[in-house]
Amino acid sequence: MLSFPFLNILLQNNSRSTELLSSMAKMLSRLVPPKEVDDILQDTYVRLCQAKSTEHIKEPKSFLFKTAKNLAYDHLKRADTRMVDDSTEA
């Protein structure tokens, strides 16, 4: 199993994991287009799985949401940069 116990919740297919993912998707849908939400959720999961240490994480749910939100902001920055690049090439 993963060393980050909170991630085990995501791996289970139960009401708790469904509620958590639904809450995250709702939060992300306020930030990015709907078609991007699943990709950001997946990137969040991957990012957390790649964490070398989790002892410093005192509030796992907050950490998970903050990671997802930061990834959404990164996505928006990249999309904005692409739009600027596309408009200067035209």
Side-chain angles (χ1 to χ4, degrees), residues 2 10 12 15-16 20-22 25-26 35-36 38 47 52-53 55-56 61 72 78:
L2 298 167
L10 296 177
Q12 300 169 3
S15 62
R16 191 172 176 195
L20 177 65
L21 290 172
S22 177
K26 186 175 181 178
K35 65 181 182 167
E36 306 298 335
D38 285 341
R47 186 72 59 97
K52 291 182 168 91
S53 171
E55 295 89 34
H56 68 284
K61 186 175 179 180
R78 285 191 308 273

Side-chain angles (χ1 to χ4, degrees), residues 10-78:
L10 296 177
L11 295 174
Q12 300 169 3
N13 189 15
N14 59 32
S15 62
R16 191 172 176 195
S17 65
T18 302
E19 182 181 321
L20 177 65
L21 290 172
S22 177
S23 295
M24 289 178 59
K26 186 175 181 178
M27 180 267 300
L28 290 171
S29 68
R30 293 185 204 124
L31 301 172
V32 297
K35 65 181 182 167
E36 306 298 335
V37 170
D38 285 341
D39 288 341
I40 293 171
L41 285 172
Q42 183 175 347
D43 289 346
T44 301
Y45 178 78
V46 169
R47 186 72 59 97
L48 292 174
C49 287
Q50 292 173 340
K52 291 182 168 91
S53 171
T54 58
E55 295 89 34
H56 68 284
I57 301 171
K58 303 295 185 226
E59 297 291 334
K61 186 175 179 180
S62 295
F63 184 82
L64 188 64
F65 275 76
K66 183 70 171 176
T67 300
K69 187 183 275 189
N70 287 341
L71 288 169
Y73 288 146
D74 290 346
H75 171 81
L76 292 172
K77 288 177 195 172
R78 285 191 308 273

